[in-house]
C-alpha cells in the first residue's frame, strides 16, 4: 500500500510549487521591475486643480493620483481658475474685454464699441397736447423726429438659468436676464421670502453690504461680481413706452413697480454725501434720497457704464462717445445764432424737434433730438451745477434740456434732464404735472449716430 502514499507526496509537492510560483509572480508584478505594468486597481491618473469650484481645472496645476483628490477635476479647459464665472460654456459678457467662455475669443457676438444705448421702448407718437397719432409723422411733417419716429437698438433680452445657460424665451422659470444690447446680466426677483424676494428692502449701505454681499458669497449663478447698478444702468431697462410698470414685465415679472416702491442705484448724490439716487419703475422717474431710507434693490453684473470716461473731441465742434457710438454737438444749441447761450436759446418741444432735424453741422444733416436714455449717457453724477464734464461740454447750463421722449403717463409732457444735478423728470419740482408741458421751453443738445 505504498503507492497511494507516493501519490499523496507528489500532489503535496505540486501544491507547494504552485504557491511558490504564484508568490513570485505577485512579487514581480508589484515590484515595478522590468517592463511590467501597474495593477489596474492602482492606475495613476492626472487631475487638475479647480480653485474656483466651477468644475473646470487649471491645465498648469496638476497632480497624479489613483483617485481624484478633493479640489481637483479631470477637465483641464478652464482659462481662468480664479473666477467661477469664466469657463467653457459660460455666457459671454459684452464689453468686459474677457474671454468668458474660454473659446479663445473676446466679446464674440457682441456689437463692437458697446455697450450701446437701448431704444426706450416708445412706439407711439404724440402732438403738443398729448394726442396720439394713428401713425408717426413722416420726415418733413410736424412733430417728426420724436422718439417713436426712430427705432434705434431695439431692446432684446435672453433668459438664463442658474448656471448662466441660455433658456428659451418661453421658459417659465429663470434666474437671470441678459440684456443683449448692453451685455449686462440682471438678477431675477422671486416671491419666496429668500435673498431674491421682490419685497426685500434695504438701506443704501445694506443693499451693498448685505444683499450684494450675500449674492457673491453664494456665488449666485456661478458669479461673484454682482453689484448695484448705476443710475444710467438701471435706467437702461426702463420701458418709457409704458408705465405701471415701466419695465418689460415679461422678462422682469416680479420687479416692484407700485406707487410706494423705489430701487436703489450705486450712484451717490454729488450735492449731498448722505444721499444716493433711486429709480421708480412705476413711471421711470428718478430722484435722490437719504441713504438711511429703505428701498428695493436689484443686482447686475457686467461692464460698468460711465460715458464721460470715453469722450473724445473731434476738433470740429462735436464730441464722440466711444461707449455708445453717439456724436454730440459740443455746444448747447445757439438757436438765435448770437454766439451766446442764454434764455433766448430755449425752445418748446415742437420747436426743439424741428430745430434738430433741420440742423446741418460738421458735414452731417442727420442730427436729431436725443431720447431720454441717450441724453442721460452724458450726465456725470459725480458733478453738479452742471452735472456734466464741462471740459467737453463747456457751456452747459445747469438747467433743463429736452429729450424726444414723451411721458407715456402724461403724453402732453415730455422727458427732460436737469443738468443742475442730472435727474430726469417730466413734471415740475412742485409736482405740478403741467408745469413742464411740451409748451414749456428748455435748452437743446442735438445728437447723431448710435445705430
Amino acid at each position: 500500500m505504498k503507492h497511494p502514499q507516493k501519490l499523496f507526496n507528489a500532489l503535496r509537492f505540486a501544491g507547494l510549487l504552485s504557491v511558490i510560483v504564484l508568490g513570485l509572480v505577485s512579487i514581480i508584478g508589484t515590484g515595478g521591475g522590468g517592463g511590467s505594468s501597474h495593477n489596474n486597481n492602482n492606475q495613476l491618473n492626472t487631475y487638475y486643480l479647480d480653485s474656483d469650484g466651477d468644475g473646470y481645472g487649471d491645465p498648469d496645476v496638476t497632480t497624479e493620483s489613483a483617485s481624484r483628490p478633493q479640489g481637483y477635476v479631470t477637465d483641464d479647459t478652464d482659462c481662468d481658475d480664479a473666477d467661477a464665472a469664466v469657463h467653457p460654456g459660460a455666457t459671454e459678457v459684452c464689453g468686459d474685454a474677457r474671454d468668458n467662455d474660454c473659446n479663445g475669443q473676446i466679446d464674440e457676438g457682441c456689437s463692437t464699441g458697446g455697450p450701446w444705448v437701448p431704444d426706450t421702448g416708445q412706439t407711439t407718437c404724440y402732438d403738443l397736447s398729448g394726442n396720439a397719432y394713428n401713425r408717426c409723422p413722416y420726415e418733413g411733417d410736424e412733430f417728426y423726429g420724436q422718439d417713436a419716429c426712430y427705432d434705434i437698438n431695439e431692446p432684446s433680452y435672453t433668459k438664463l438659468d442658474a448656471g448662466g445657460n441660455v433658456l428659451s424665451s418661453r421658459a417659465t422659470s429663470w434666474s437671470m436676464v441678459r440684456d443683449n444690447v448692453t451685455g449686462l446680466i440682471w438678477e431675477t426677483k422671486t416671491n419666496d421670502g429668500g435673498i431674491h424676494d421682490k419685497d426685500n428692502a434695504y438701506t443704501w449701505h445694506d443693499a451693498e453690504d448685505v444683499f450684494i454681499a450675500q449674492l457673491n458669497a453664494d456665488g449666485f449663478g456661478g458669479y461673484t461680481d454682482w453689484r448695484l447698478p448705476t443710475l444710467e444702468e438701471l435706467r437702461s431697462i426702463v420701458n418709457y413706452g409704458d408705465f405701471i410698470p415701466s419695465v418689460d414685465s415679461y422678462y422682469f415679472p416680479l420687479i416692484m413697480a407700485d406707487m410706494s416702491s423705489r430701487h436703489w442705484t450705486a450712484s451717490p448724490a454729488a450735492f449731498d454725501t448722505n444721499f444716493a439716487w433711486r429709480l421708480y419703475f412705476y413711471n421711470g422717474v428718478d430722484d435722490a434720497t437719504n441713504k438711511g431710507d429703505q428701498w428695493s434693490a436689484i443686482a447686475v453684473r457686467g461692464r460698468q457704464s460711465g460715458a464721460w470716461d470715453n469722450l473724445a473731441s473731434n476738433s470740429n465742434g462735436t464730441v464722440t462717445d466711444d461707449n455708445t457710438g453717439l456724436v454730440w454737438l459740443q455746444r448747447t444749441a445757439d438757436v438765435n445764432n448770437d454766439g451766446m447761450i442764454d434764455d433766448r436759446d430755449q425752445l418748446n418741444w415742437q420747436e426743439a424737434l424741428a430745430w434738430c432735424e433741420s440742423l446741418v453741422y460738421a458735414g452731417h444733416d442727420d442730427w436729431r433730438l436725443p431720447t431720454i436714455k441717450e441724453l442721460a449717457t452724458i450726465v456725470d453724477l459725480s458733478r453738479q451745477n452742471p452735472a456734466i464734464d464741462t471740459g467737453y461740454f463747456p457751456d452747459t447750463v445747469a438747467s433743463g434740456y429736452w429729450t424726444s421722449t414723451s411721458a407715456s403717463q402724461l403724453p402732453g409732457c415730455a422727458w427732460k434732464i436737469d443738468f443742475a444735478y442730472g435727474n430726469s423728470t417730466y413734471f415740475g419740482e412742485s409736482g405740478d404735472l403741467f408745469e413742464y408741458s411740451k409748451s414749456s421751453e428748455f435748452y437743446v443738445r442735438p445728437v447723431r449716430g448710435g445705430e
Side-chain angles (χ1 to χ4, degrees):
M1 300 301 294
K2 292 182 180 180
H3 293 294
Q5 182 63 41
K6 288 182 179 181
L7 178 60
F8 174 77
N9 289 338
L11 290 173
R12 186 174 62 176
F13 177 76
L16 180 61
L17 182 62
S18 297
V19 170
I20 293 172
V21 170
L22 288 173
L24 288 174
V25 170
S26 176
I27 292 171
I28 293 171
T30 59
S36 61
S37 61
H38 295 292
N39 187 291
N40 287 337
N41 292 331
N42 296 308
Q43 177 71 43
L44 295 182
N45 297 307
T46 302
Y47 296 94
Y48 305 90
L49 180 64
D50 181 18
S51 297
D52 54 17
D54 61 4
Y56 300 87
D58 185 340
D60 297 323
V61 183
T62 65
T63 187
E64 301 287 326
S65 177
S67 60
R68 184 173 67 84
Q70 185 174 1
Y72 284 76
V73 295
T74 57
D75 191 306
D76 68 343
T77 57
D78 205 343
C79 57
D80 186 349
D81 201 38
D83 188 344
V86 177
H87 58 74
T91 300
E92 189 69 19
V93 179
C94 297
D96 69 349
R98 301 181 68 188
D99 179 15
N100 306 98
D101 55 8
C102 297
N103 70 347
Q105 301 179 61
I106 294 176
D107 290 351
E108 71 275 12
C110 301
S111 298
T112 58
W116 297 102
V117 182
D119 191 88
T120 65
Q122 189 158 105
T123 58
T124 302
C125 289
Y126 304 93
D127 65 14
L128 205 63
S129 300
N131 300 307
Y133 284 92
N134 291 327
R135 62 160 179 82
C136 282
Y138 294 135
E139 188 171 2
D141 293 344
E142 286 189 330
F143 296 102
Y144 179 76
Q146 60 182 287
D147 191 326
C149 291
Y150 293 94
D151 185 11
I152 301 174
N153 305 319
E154 181 180 359
S156 170
Y157 299 106
T158 297
K159 298 175 181 179
L160 306 175
D161 67 14
N165 301 302
V166 173
L167 297 172
S168 165
S169 62
R170 297 185 297 274
T172 58
S173 177
W174 60 100
S175 299
M176 298 170 284
V177 174
R178 183 180 67 208
D179 185 330
N180 299 316
V181 178
T182 65
L184 296 172
I185 296 177
W186 297 88
E187 167 216 17
T188 300
K189 308 310 288 186
T190 66
N191 195 24
D192 58 8
I195 190 66
H196 304 284
D197 195 278
K198 65 181 179 61
D199 295 319
N200 293 343
Y202 309 90
T203 66
W204 188 72
H205 290 290
D206 283 349
E208 187 70 49
D209 298 340
V210 176
F211 170 57
I212 295 296
Q214 186 64 56
L215 295 190
N216 287 326
D218 293 343
F220 170 57
Y223 304 117
T224 57
D225 58 352
W226 294 99
R227 55 185 174 78
L228 287 179
T230 65
L231 177 56
E232 180 187 340
E233 289 170 331
L234 194 57
R235 191 187 283 116
S236 73
I237 61 171
V238 172
N239 178 6
Y240 289 94
D242 204 354
F243 66 100
I244 322 176
S246 56
V247 69
D248 190 326
S249 57
Y250 184 77
Y251 288 93
F252 301 96
L254 294 177
I255 200 165
M256 292 296 289
D258 57 58
M259 291 188 68
S260 61
S261 179
R262 309 287 197 279
H263 280 73
W264 282 119
T265 78
S267 305
F271 62 85
D272 190 328
T273 57
N274 295 313
F275 280 59
W277 291 95
R278 60 184 181 172
L279 189 140
Y280 192 20
F281 280 112
Y282 179 84
N283 54 10
V285 170
D286 54 76
D287 62 6
T289 191
N290 193 288
K291 294 177 179 178
D293 295 342
Q294 291 198 337
W295 298 107
S296 302
I298 185 171
V300 71
R301 63 176 301 271
R303 179 177 179 176
Q304 293 197 49
S305 300
W308 52 88
D309 294 331
N310 297 274
L311 299 173
S313 173
N314 298 316
S315 301
N316 63 356
T318 68
V319 173
T320 295
D321 180 356
D322 290 334
N323 255 359
T324 63
L326 295 170
V327 180
W328 296 92
L329 194 68
Q330 190 164 23
R331 296 195 64 191
T332 299
D334 180 14
V335 299
N336 64 6
N337 201 31
D338 65 356
M340 299 183 296
I341 303 301
D342 52 32
D343 289 346
R344 293 176 298 170
D345 292 304
Q346 297 183 91
L347 302 172
N348 70 30
W349 190 67
Q350 180 180 4
E351 293 168 341
L353 292 171
W355 194 90
C356 292
E357 289 295 324
S358 65
L359 178 63
V360 178
Y361 190 84
H364 297 281
D365 62 359
D366 57 348
W367 297 93
R368 53 188 172 81
L369 192 63
T371 70
I372 176 62
K373 290 187 180 183
E374 290 173 329
L375 189 56
T377 63
I378 57 172
V379 170
D380 185 346
L381 292 175
S382 68
R383 307 169 189 258
Q384 59 175 317
N385 293 316
I388 197 170
D389 188 334
T390 54
Y392 289 101
F393 303 103
D395 64 358
T396 302
V397 184
S399 185
Y401 281 67
W402 278 123
T403 79
S404 64
T405 309
S406 295
S408 59
Q409 185 179 14
L410 194 72
C413 299
W415 287 89
K416 72 173 183 69
I417 285 187
D418 186 345
F419 277 93
Y421 303 113
N423 59 298
S424 61
T425 188
Y426 56 84
F427 51 81
E429 298 301 324
S430 65
D432 181 356
L433 295 179
F434 295 96
E435 182 178 342
Y436 289 158
S437 71
K438 291 176 177 176
S439 296
S440 302
E441 294 186 340
F442 293 108
Y443 294 99
V444 178
R445 188 181 304 280
V447 72
R448 58 175 298 271
E451 299 163 270

